[in-house]
Amino acid sequence: MLIKYVPRPEGNTVVVGCGDAAFTRHFSRQAHVRRFSSTAALVAAGVRVLDGVYPRAAAQHDAVILPLENGRVLARTMILRSLLSLRPGGNLWVAGSVRAGVRTFEDDAAELGTVDSVYAGSGCRIFKLTRAEAQPVAQPIAQPIAPIHWAVGMTPVPFDLRNRSYVQYTQPGVFSADHLDEGTKFLLDALPAVPAFPSARVLDACCGAGAIGLVVRAEWPAADVTFADDDLLAVECCRASAGEHARVVPADLTLRQRNLAGVRDFDLIVCNPPFHQGLTEDRSFVPRFVPVAAGLVSPKRGQLLMVANRFLPYQRDLSAAFATVQVVAEDRKWRVWLASETKA
């Protein structure tokens, strides 16, 4: 959408965090991606997907192309880490929407180098940040509220449940990065309603930083837990939360063959599915996910435990894939569904 407004930089360039194959291919033949589900289209377009969500420091890129979404802390982290991968004098091209706060991102970037406006219009802005000769220094930026640091690593986020204490590790950009979100807490409160199988095979789908799987492992000590998420930042956090021996996989949970092809017959899939894409409401995930979940659980005894805002109409999707669908917990805001006996 913004390709025609931005010239193609010369030299060693890389695109960071964009899943759009046409946009990425216009600027570079290499990219770092945020979503695992983006990789297939990029590879098919001839783009080499590099390891890691962010480029490595001192990579000596001539230019980094960075389309930003909402979230000031995440934007600062992406700007800084991308800037550190440039050679001295290299350029960081940043694109974003006014609604997502790109003017604020541009003001912040000015503290790290020289900023030149490239384009402004149609609710979007593009600016170019030229790296100073000296390395940027990680420091707080003065704000009327508590300062937020440029360089933010993983943060331990403790929570308690049923007389046990847990710690999950998060970072900017990961869902509910500073606390255990209400929906996940409501789902975990309903977990005792599910019969525990000896040595249960459990999938924590859309695992985020891993809270659900951590609780399942503690309360069902014999369980074999797999953690999966499409968000590669979340995968990094979950690996830190769950430990080096945990099975944590990047996966497109709307397509069974994407990294879950060798896994089947789960006794239980537990999921707090995503409901937003950036700033917009997105109800498309669950209708695509539920049939995949039905194919991953044991046909007779396998179950899907899922939480959602109670106004969301997921009964039809669940009933299309499972013979038995019941509400095991609900309040004014949340509803927990338990589905079993697959129809496939």
Side-chain angles (χ1 to χ4, degrees):
M1 57 178 174
L2 297 173
I3 291 175
K4 62 182 178 180
Y5 301 119
V6 185
R8 184 182 290 107
E10 296 182 357
N12 175 21
T13 64
V14 66
V15 178
V16 176
C18 182
D20 185 296
F23 182 97
T24 302
R25 178 71 182 257
H26 174 79
F27 293 109
S28 180
R29 293 295 192 273
Q30 56 184 353
H32 292 271
V33 299
R34 167 78 183 274
R35 302 286 175 184
F36 175 77
S37 54
S38 302
T39 57
L42 291 172
V43 171
V47 175
R48 182 165 65 101
V49 177
L50 304 174
D51 291 336
V53 176
Y54 301 114
R56 61 182 178 83
Q60 295 294 300
H61 293 304
D62 294 299
V64 174
I65 313 300
L66 182 61
L68 288 177
E69 298 180 0
N70 60 305
R72 191 176 188 185
V73 178
L74 175 61
R76 290 175 171 181
T77 303
M78 294 185 75
I79 288 172
L80 177 64
R81 296 188 67 166
S82 297
L83 198 64
L84 290 173
S85 74
L86 293 169
R87 63 169 178 77
N91 296 316
L92 175 62
W93 296 79
V94 179
S97 73
V98 173
R99 184 168 176 243
V102 69
R103 286 194 179 96
T104 302
F105 305 158
E106 188 170 348
D107 292 340
D108 290 345
E111 300 195 16
L112 297 176
T114 302
V115 171
D116 296 299
S117 179
V118 175
Y119 169 81
S122 303
C124 299
R125 293 178 69 85
I126 303 167
F127 64 88
K128 182 175 67 173
L129 172 61
T130 302
R131 178 180 168 180
E133 292 295 321
Q135 294 277 87
V137 177
Q139 59 184 354
I141 298 174
Q143 296 293 329
I145 57 175
I148 302 173
H149 288 259
W150 274 100
V152 184
M154 289 192 189
T155 302
V157 177
F159 66 94
D160 297 321
L161 186 72
R162 291 190 281 279
N163 299 316
R164 286 190 175 94
S165 296
Y166 303 89
V167 176
Q168 61 176 344
Y169 288 85
T170 69
Q171 60 181 309
V174 174
F175 172 66
S176 193
D178 59 354
H179 66 285
L180 182 68
D181 74 284
E182 290 182 31
T184 298
K185 172 65 164 56
F186 197 77
L187 177 66
L188 290 171
D189 285 341
L191 186 62
V194 181
F197 301 108
S199 303
R201 299 188 68 191
V202 180
L203 173 64
D204 180 357
C206 307
C207 63
I212 292 173
L214 293 179
V215 173
V216 170
R217 288 196 316 190
E219 298 193 356
W220 298 358
D224 179 11
V225 179
T226 298
F227 301 79
D229 205 299
D230 185 42
D231 183 348
L232 299 181
L233 283 177
V235 169
E236 289 180 357
C237 290
C238 189
R239 285 174 175 154
S241 302
E244 60 179 332
H245 299 299
R247 187 186 304 110
V248 183
V249 295
D252 182 348
L253 293 164
T254 64
L255 295 171
R256 180 172 178 174
Q257 63 268 33
R258 299 298 305 280
N259 261 33
L260 287 174
V263 183
R264 62 184 183 278
D265 293 338
F266 285 106
D267 298 305
L268 177 66
I269 296 177
V270 191
C271 184
N272 180 3
F275 175 46
H276 291 89
Q277 182 66 38
L279 293 172
T280 61
E281 179 182 307
D282 182 6
R283 302 187 184 191
S284 67
F285 176 81
V286 167
R288 293 178 292 137
F289 164 69
V290 169
V292 173
L296 290 172
V297 297
S298 176
K300 295 298 182 183
R301 70 175 189 175
Q303 298 177 308
L304 168 64
L305 187 71
M306 188 180 80
V307 68
N309 292 88
R310 64 173 297 146
F311 65 83
L312 292 170
Y314 292 151
Q315 172 78 44
R316 179 181 299 178
D317 300 308
L318 291 165
S319 296
F322 293 89
T324 301
V325 178
Q326 57 183 313
V327 176
V328 294
E330 64 181 329
D331 63 9
R332 292 183 177 181
K333 186 172 183 180
W334 304 102
R335 178 173 288 157
V336 177
W337 304 92
L338 182 63
S340 58
E341 299 177 56
T342 64
K343 292 183 176 180

